[in-house]
Amino acid sequence: MAGTVVVTGASAGIGKAVALRFLAEGWNVALIARRAGALAGLAGSNTQALALPCDVSDETAVADAFAATVGRFGRIDVLFNNAGIARPSALIDEMPVADWRAMVDVNLTGMFLCARAAFGQMRRQSPQGGRIINNGSVSAHAPRPRSVAYTSTKHAISGLTKTLALDGRPYSIACGQIDIGNTATDLAAPIAKGVPQADGSIRAEPMMDIEDVAGAVLHMASLPLSSNVLTMTIMATNMPFVGRG
């Protein structure tokens, strides 16, 4: 199956890898991120790629980006709701409120706005339906030390996913979540060098190949709408997640 997918946070890391995998599989791909130059380079001259510079926390910009996707490709079959940010680790009383607000704006409100736009389009289009895949995190299950804002937003995404999975049933809209742990990206590079553990130690952690994540997202997206992966955890096999703490 191939159709039209919207990928947010598409300019780098997991979003870029997923976008490239979908393009290689013949999908139309709408690329959403804030960095216009990076998106333009990714899209190149590929007529199946549409670069849409957009801040996902901006309601109007999100609506315009999804309208442009439909204008170009006619419909939306899948949203990979991936855009997210992190800020320096801190205890709650030492964290700037501005850092909390920034992470909530992008990691939660941004995902809400993109899911809202996708859900509305999927309800209206014919044939009706589609799939929303939210990028959670293993932090949706177990926090790292000093990660109150990031962990809070990722727990909230689990609630968003389950509610959309329920509310989407009458409209053939499936919603699932992929919780990813320790992928080799620039953002996650410090994990491979050494990060704080729950016991107070600093240890390097195993990493997995980003292409394995892209393949997992493609698998979720390629299922018929009669089937849904509600939650998937994909992680480096030996990372300290099961039994964390």
Side-chain angles (χ1 to χ4, degrees):
M1 169 192 158
T4 295
V5 58
V6 177
V7 179
T8 70
S11 61
I14 290 169
K16 181 178 179 180
V18 167
L20 288 172
R21 177 65 70 89
F22 275 81
L23 285 169
E25 295 291 329
W27 289 66
N28 301 317
V29 183
L31 308 162
I32 289 179
R34 288 180 289 189
R35 295 189 293 164
L39 290 184
L42 179 58
S45 59
N46 191 333
T47 58
Q48 289 185 272
L50 176 62
L52 295 166
C54 172
D55 180 345
V56 297
S57 67
D58 182 328
E59 178 182 353
T60 300
V62 168
D64 290 346
F66 277 76
T69 300
V70 176
R72 172 74 168 271
F73 298 126
R75 63 182 285 114
I76 294 172
D77 297 293
V78 176
L79 165 65
F80 180 43
N81 211 3
N82 167 70
I85 62 171
R87 289 290 184 265
S89 300
L91 292 172
I92 188 170
D93 60 320
E94 297 175 353
M95 170 177 286
V97 175
D99 283 0
W100 167 270
R101 293 189 187 280
M103 278 188 272
V104 170
D105 282 349
V106 176
N107 296 359
L108 181 53
T109 302
M111 280 202 174
F112 162 80
L113 291 174
C114 292
R116 180 176 184 268
F119 194 100
Q121 172 59 32
M122 291 169 181
R123 281 183 66 194
R124 295 190 300 269
Q125 62 196 12
S126 181
Q128 189 180 61
R131 187 181 306 275
I132 296 169
I133 302 171
N134 292 325
N135 186 351
S137 168
V138 293
S139 291
H141 304 277
R144 289 189 179 278
R146 303 184 178 213
S147 65
V148 62
Y150 185 82
T151 297
S152 295
T153 60
K154 293 306 182 178
H155 273 68
I157 295 308
S158 295
L160 176 67
T161 298
K162 291 170 185 174
T163 304
L164 294 181
L166 176 60
D167 290 348
R169 289 177 184 174
Y171 313 107
S172 296
I173 299 172
C175 185
Q177 179 168 320
I178 184 165
D179 294 322
I180 301 166
N182 286 18
T183 305
T185 64
D186 290 342
L187 183 66
I191 296 173
K193 297 176 181 178
V195 288
Q197 305 294 316
D199 63 3
S201 64
I202 304 275
R203 292 202 303 273
E205 297 184 8
M207 309 296 288
M208 66 178 165
D209 192 285
I210 198 169
E211 291 303 320
D212 296 334
V213 177
V217 175
L218 179 65
H219 168 71
M220 293 173 73
S222 300
L223 291 171
L225 291 178
S226 57
S227 300
N228 185 38
V229 175
L230 181 63
T231 59
M232 175 191 289
T233 300
I234 182 168
M235 54 182 250
T237 302
N238 292 335
M239 71 171 286
F241 169 57
V242 178
R244 184 185 287 184

